[in-house]
Each structure stands twice: as C-alpha cells, then as structure tokens.
Amino acid sequence: MNFNKTLLSFSIIFYVLIYFKFYPLFYSFADERVYIIQAESLLKGKLQVPEWTRGFSIHKGKIGILPKYPPFYSLLFLSLPLKINFYLVFLSSLLVHILSFFLFYKILKLINIHPLYSLLYLFHPSFVLYSRTIMPDIYVSFLFLFTLYFHIKKSNFSFFTNFLLSLMKPSSFFYSFVFIIDSFLKKEKKNFVLYIFTTFLSVSFVYIYLIILHGNPSPYLYFSLSFIFRNFKDYFIYLNLNYPMLLIFGFLGILRIKILRGILLGFIPSLMLYLLYIFHDLVESSLLLSSVIGLRYLLPFLTLLIMG
C-alpha cells in the first residue's frame, strides 16, 4: 500500500472513530422527525401516519394524515436500518458519506486529479454536519456523485442513478439538469433523451404522491424573486468561507478540466432555481454556523467546486 492510500485509509478510520465518539443520539432538525415517522409507517405497510403526529410538515391529505414529503427517500434509505434499531438510521448516513468519499476519490482519478484532494470532501464542515443527520441532502449528494461517476464512464447505469436522484425530494430533480445539459452540449442524443426520460419518470412519481394523495402539488416548492439577492449574497459568502475562496478558485479550476466544463454549465439552471427557492437555514447568532448549515441545497455543487 503506497503512502497516498495509507493516508486516505487512516483518514477514514479517524473520521469513523470521531463519529462514534460523538455518535448522534437524536435528530437535530424537525424534518428528521417527519422522515422517521414516515419510515415507521412504511414498515407497517402504510402511507398514512398516526393522528397524533399532525403538525410540522404532516397534514390532512386525501387519504388520511400524510407527510408533505414523498415516501421514496424514507423507503429506500431509512426503513431497513429503522427496522433493526432507531440509532442505526444515523449509521446509514455515515456509510453514505464514506461511500460518497470513495466515489469522489474515484472521480478524481478519472479526471487525473491527485486523489488526496478527496480529503477536502471528507472533512468539509457541511458534509460532516449532514452525515450526522438523516436529512436527505447528504443522500442527494451521494446519488449526484454516483450519477456523475457513471456519466463520466459513459455507463448506462447513470440513467438509473439519475432516476433515484430525481426521486429523493421534490427539488432534487434540479440536479438532473446537469446531465441533461452536458449530454446536449456533447451531442449525445441517446443520453440526452434517456436523462430526460428518467427525470420525467421520477418527477411523475413524486407529483403523483403530492397531487393525488397529499392533495397539494407543491407543498414546499416555493419560489420568489424576493429571495434572489439575499440568497446570492449569502451563498457567495458561504461558499467562500469554510474553504477560503472556494467558489472562485473552484470555478476557475473546473474551467481547466475539459470533461467537467459541460457539467459546470449544466449547473446554471439548477443554481438559478435555488437562488429563487425558499431561503436556506439561517443561524442569526453565527455566520460560521450558518455557512455550514445553509449549504444543504447546494451540496452537489459544492462537490464540483472541491474537484476544481
């Protein structure tokens, strides 16, 4: 084993040991409670959740009390660990983060960047934070990396992972535009059509739940021009704060990597939509903490910048 692989292996071991030393015993965000309640009901074969859970993000739907979030994330990633033990749901987030790190490492090798830079991904504060939660954002980032890896390798499996990516939450299909646009720019007609098809198929499943069962087509997809200036200012600060000047140097670095230029252009509609999207989490008393929490919607874009 060479020095690089040894260092990477020890870094993973160190991360896991620190994770278990400070293992999360309870959820940190209100949304996590909703996903846990949803997963518990899915294990009983029900979409409906108990009456007593009515409140934040859980409302009267057309077939009973339902979470406003479609069930696919809870079904795919939370149901099995929750069936074994409540505390294992946090372990699944750790495993997903480690797998994402491995994918990031593999992508760096594909694009001829030194693999030690993958440590910047492993220890970025936003990824560290969300690996300690069961928020779907770390899983969205994982599936984005999965799709990007197979997209670069020109594997048909990328269409399946793109389908899962768009299925995670109502806004996660924004990141499918990255692969649609990159395929269009490279004149890969088959890939272009299949990415559109898989995105449309998964979005259809999401909105069948929201429209037919929940009764509201967009319970938390809320866009407004009033968000754009505040979001632009804050995201610019956040992306340059934890890793100083990451947005600027990452952007310039990506421009030098030919295979990723189309990916960067593909992010433009996704980023524009998120600038108009409902405002991110904010901690009034701490800019640094806000910069860690507030990047949850931009984690896939953050992965690209780190590659640069």
Side-chain angles (χ1 to χ4, degrees), residues 9 14 25 75 81 93 98 113 117 136 168 179 229 268 288 307:
S9 298
F14 174 76
L25 299 177
L75 179 65
S93 296
I98 298 300
I113 293 178
Y117 284 107
M168 285 296 96
F179 306 106
F229 295 110
I268 292 175
L288 187 60
M307 287 179 196

Side-chain angles (χ1 to χ4, degrees), residues 3-250:
F3 173 76
N4 292 338
K5 289 185 177 180
T6 301
L7 180 58
L8 291 170
S9 298
F10 273 112
S11 297
I12 294 173
I13 294 170
F14 174 76
Y15 188 93
V16 171
L17 289 175
I18 294 298
Y19 191 96
F20 278 104
K21 173 66 176 178
F22 301 99
Y23 195 86
L25 299 177
F26 206 62
Y27 52 80
S28 304
F29 297 88
D31 282 349
E32 293 179 89
R33 170 182 174 270
V34 178
Y35 291 118
I36 289 171
I37 291 170
Q38 186 176 56
E40 288 173 340
S41 291
L42 289 171
L43 286 171
K44 299 173 184 176
K46 297 179 180 179
L47 283 173
Q48 302 93 331
V49 296
E51 175 73 29
W52 66 266
T53 63
R54 289 186 71 164
F56 179 78
S57 299
I58 299 177
H59 310 288
K60 177 72 173 178
K62 291 188 175 181
I63 60 170
I65 310 301
L66 294 170
K68 71 177 183 179
Y69 305 125
F72 309 110
Y73 161 64
S74 297
L75 179 65
L76 291 172
F77 289 106
L78 300 184
S79 298
L80 179 59
L82 190 63
K83 186 175 183 179
I84 301 170
N85 186 280
F86 168 80
Y87 298 108
L88 284 184
V89 295
F90 299 103
L91 183 60
S92 66
S93 296
L94 170 64
L95 292 175
V96 162
H97 183 50
I98 298 300
L99 287 172
S100 298
F101 166 72
F102 179 72
L103 285 169
F104 193 93
Y105 166 86
K106 297 287 283 185
I107 291 170
L108 290 188
K109 292 186 71 174
L110 284 177
I111 60 179
N112 297 315
I113 293 178
H114 201 291
L116 280 183
Y117 284 107
S118 58
L119 293 176
L120 294 173
Y121 177 89
L122 181 66
F123 292 108
H124 189 281
S126 293
F127 291 112
V128 172
L129 171 69
Y130 285 106
S131 73
R132 294 176 51 80
T133 75
I134 56 170
M135 297 292 284
D137 305 278
I138 195 78
Y139 297 82
V140 170
S141 180
F142 164 67
L143 288 168
F144 173 81
L145 278 170
F146 221 155
T147 307
L148 179 61
Y149 174 73
F150 287 115
H151 179 74
I152 293 173
K153 288 181 69 70
K154 299 187 183 301
S155 167
N156 289 336
F157 198 69
S158 65
F159 307 125
F160 175 69
T161 55
N162 177 65
F163 170 77
L164 295 179
L165 170 64
S166 301
L167 202 62
M168 285 296 96
K169 48 191 290 191
S171 62
S172 61
F173 77 92
F174 294 173
Y175 288 116
S176 295
F177 293 148
V178 171
F179 306 106
I180 293 171
I181 292 172
D182 186 56
S183 299
F184 175 78
L185 293 173
K186 292 176 179 175
K187 298 180 180 180
E188 298 171 345
K189 295 181 180 179
K190 173 192 169 185
N191 292 355
F192 176 70
V193 170
L194 286 173
Y195 279 127
I196 290 178
F197 172 73
T198 52
T199 302
F200 175 80
L201 186 62
S202 56
V203 170
S204 298
F205 286 134
V206 169
Y207 279 86
I208 284 172
Y209 173 85
L210 294 176
I211 296 172
I212 297 178
L213 300 179
H214 189 275
N216 188 344
S218 55
Y220 87 140
L221 278 180
Y222 182 63
F223 299 90
S224 173
L225 287 172
S226 65
F227 296 143
I228 191 167
F229 295 110
R230 182 175 63 172
N231 280 349
F232 181 83
K233 172 181 69 70
D234 286 350
Y235 283 140
F236 183 86
I237 293 172
Y238 295 170
L239 288 168
N240 286 302
L241 186 59
N242 291 294
Y243 287 172
M245 307 299 286
L246 175 64
L247 177 60
I248 297 169
F249 290 125

Side-chain angles (χ1 to χ4, degrees), residues 236-290:
F236 183 86
I237 293 172
Y238 295 170
L239 288 168
N240 286 302
L241 186 59
N242 291 294
Y243 287 172
M245 307 299 286
L246 175 64
L247 177 60
I248 297 169
F249 290 125
F251 179 82
L252 294 174
I254 292 299
L255 291 178
R256 298 176 58 187
I257 305 170
K258 184 177 180 181
I259 198 170
L260 293 183
R261 290 174 193 164
I263 298 294
L264 182 61
L265 289 173
F267 265 104
I268 292 175
S270 306
L271 295 175
M272 289 302 299
L273 285 168
Y274 274 118
L275 287 177
L276 296 168
Y277 189 46
I278 189 169
F279 194 55
H280 53 76
D281 299 277
L282 182 67
V283 181
E284 295 287 352
S285 60
S286 174
L287 176 62
L288 187 60
L289 191 54
S290 290

